[in-house]
Amino acid sequence: MTTHTATAQSSPNIAFIKYWGNRDNALRLPVNGSISMNLEGLYTRTTVSFQPSLGMDELIINGHEVTGKSLERVSALLDVVRQGAGLGLRAEVVSDNNFPTGAGIASSAAAFAALALAATKAAGLDWPESAISRLARLGSGSASRSIPSGFVEWQMGSGDEDSFAVSIAPPEHWALADCVAIVSAGHKTTGSTEGHALAPTSPLQAARVADAPRRLEICRQAILTRDFEAFANIIEHDSDMMHAVMMTSQPALFYWQPATLAVMQAVREWRKSGRQVAYTIDAGPNVHVLCPQAAREAVAALLGQIPGVGQVLTATAGGPARIL
Ligand code: DP6
């Protein structure tokens, strides 16, 4: 008898052109394409085992059993796999992160990418990368981008079939580092899923979406030609545009803390004085500061001196989700 067990590992990713808003919330079909880089060294490892003895799916994250909404989201993805494989068995899902969950590094991208890959493998399905990226997308949009390698573009597509992510360059193409300045937030922020649903309530979202093809093109070219200046300008512009939408949603979403702005200002000043640095911020107060890999330690040290910045995590460009 086949064992119906598999383990996969995948990394979180940092978006340079952001995903914010869906045209179909259930299928997570985005209103614009997005571009990201996988983060080497940070990972989620997930084992899926389909077992005849289980009456329902079970989820264990970092040693703790998880139920409720998170389990439902996992079960919904497993249902797609069960349907594809003609499999009726429930599964045990055991997942561990090597990065702090409370530190504000989005864990859903790595989590759903590893889940999608492990679940298809455990069910005996040998799906192409594009199909696994689509499956991961159903769990969390940004997870679609953690399936391919290195620098990745998630194409918005015309529907479910062609909305998946592809690699635009391997990790070794460009020696960039992401220094994540962790800013301690005093309150729990609104999650991405609720945030995407609010995006259309901002009158700025339509302009942001209409202009997305231009930003995608500039960012893609900046990556392909390793043009740091063009890259810095477009990723900051894109992040600022997304936060402008967030701040003008109804209700408004303000993710920044005072230290968030302090880091943004420092990064802009450092760049003016000739240092290659650029910021981007997701749905939280932490600031991702991109720089050449050789400058990684110097930049991390500088960031650590800014009041309000706690830990600084660093990562380089990472490979694809893979079976262990
Ligand atoms: C701000 O992929 O976390 O990080 O699909 O609801 O899980 P769900 O949303 P998620 O959204 C990511 C939002 C972002 C920008 C990005 O990563 O592109």
Side-chain angles (χ1 to χ4, degrees):
M1 200 195 124
T2 44
T3 59
H4 293 317
T5 296
T7 301
Q9 173 175 313
S10 85
S11 295
N13 64 75
I14 178 63
F16 299 144
I17 301 297
K18 307 291 190 184
Y19 154 50
W20 197 247
N22 289 313
R23 55 195 208 273
D24 182 324
N25 282 320
L27 287 175
R28 289 186 158 82
L29 295 175
V31 288
N32 61 272
S34 52
I35 292 179
S36 62
M37 178 181 93
N38 288 340
L39 300 178
E40 176 72 30
L42 309 179
Y43 60 80
T44 298
R45 261 183 202 163
T46 300
T47 299
V48 174
S49 58
F50 291 100
Q51 298 170 14
S53 59
L54 293 173
M56 59 181 285
D57 295 323
E58 285 175 14
L59 175 62
I60 295 150
I61 301 177
N62 293 330
H64 300 285
E65 174 145 18
V66 176
T67 56
K69 285 263 178 298
S70 302
L71 177 60
E72 282 170 31
R73 213 163 146 182
V74 165
S75 284
L77 189 149
L78 292 172
D79 285 341
V80 177
V81 174
R82 279 187 279 256
Q83 199 173 23
L87 193 68
L89 304 176
R90 303 293 113 182
E92 182 190 63
V93 176
V94 180
S95 193
D96 290 286
N97 295 321
N98 79 337
F99 52 96
T101 338
I105 305 286
S107 54
S108 71
F112 282 99
L115 176 69
L117 184 57
T120 47
K121 186 78 179 173
L125 297 169
D126 191 19
W127 284 0
E129 182 184 271
S130 58
I132 296 171
S133 174
R134 282 171 53 205
L135 176 65
R137 190 200 78 222
L138 297 175
S140 175
S142 56
S144 67
R145 297 189 311 243
S146 281
I147 297 293
S149 185
F151 298 84
V152 170
E153 180 164 357
W154 170 17
Q155 304 159 341
M156 62 179 286
S158 58
D160 174 50
E161 285 76 26
D162 57 354
S163 186
F164 54 82
V166 295
S167 180
I168 55 174
E172 59 276 12
H173 166 74
W174 198 7
L176 277 186
D178 180 10
C179 303
V180 194
I182 310 286
V183 171
S184 33
H187 59 95
K188 203 184 175 307
T189 53
T190 305
S192 302
T193 305
E194 294 79 43
H196 291 296
L198 290 178
T201 67
S202 166
L204 304 186
Q205 172 72 342
R208 181 190 157 275
V209 172
D211 181 61
R214 180 189 70 92
R215 298 193 307 281
L216 285 162
E217 172 65 17
I218 292 172
C219 185
R220 201 186 299 119
Q221 288 311 319
I223 290 170
L224 293 177
T225 59
R226 304 183 196 89
D227 180 343
F228 194 92
E229 192 59 29
F231 172 76
N233 289 329
I234 200 67
I235 75 169
E236 291 185 356
H237 181 58
D238 186 85
S239 174
D240 292 347
M241 278 176 93
M242 180 182 72
H243 283 271
V245 167
M246 291 164 159
M247 289 171 189
T248 50
S249 300
Q250 290 160 328
L253 298 174
F254 271 85
Y255 287 109
W256 298 352
Q257 295 286 313
T260 309
L261 194 57
V263 174
M264 294 165 78
Q265 283 172 335
V267 167
R268 282 179 182 272
E269 266 158 37
W270 296 339
R271 195 156 76 253
K272 244 187 238 157
S273 67
R275 198 179 265 284
Q276 292 191 317
V277 280
Y279 67 75
T280 184
I281 302 160
D282 282 342
N286 299 334
V287 187
H288 292 252
V289 179
L290 282 299
C291 66
Q293 205 173 304
R296 169 185 181 170
E297 268 156 38
V299 170
L302 281 171
L303 288 169
Q305 284 163 15
I306 297 175
V309 173
Q311 210 190 345
V312 181
L313 297 175
T314 70
T316 53
R322 60 178 213 268
I323 292 291
L324 295 181

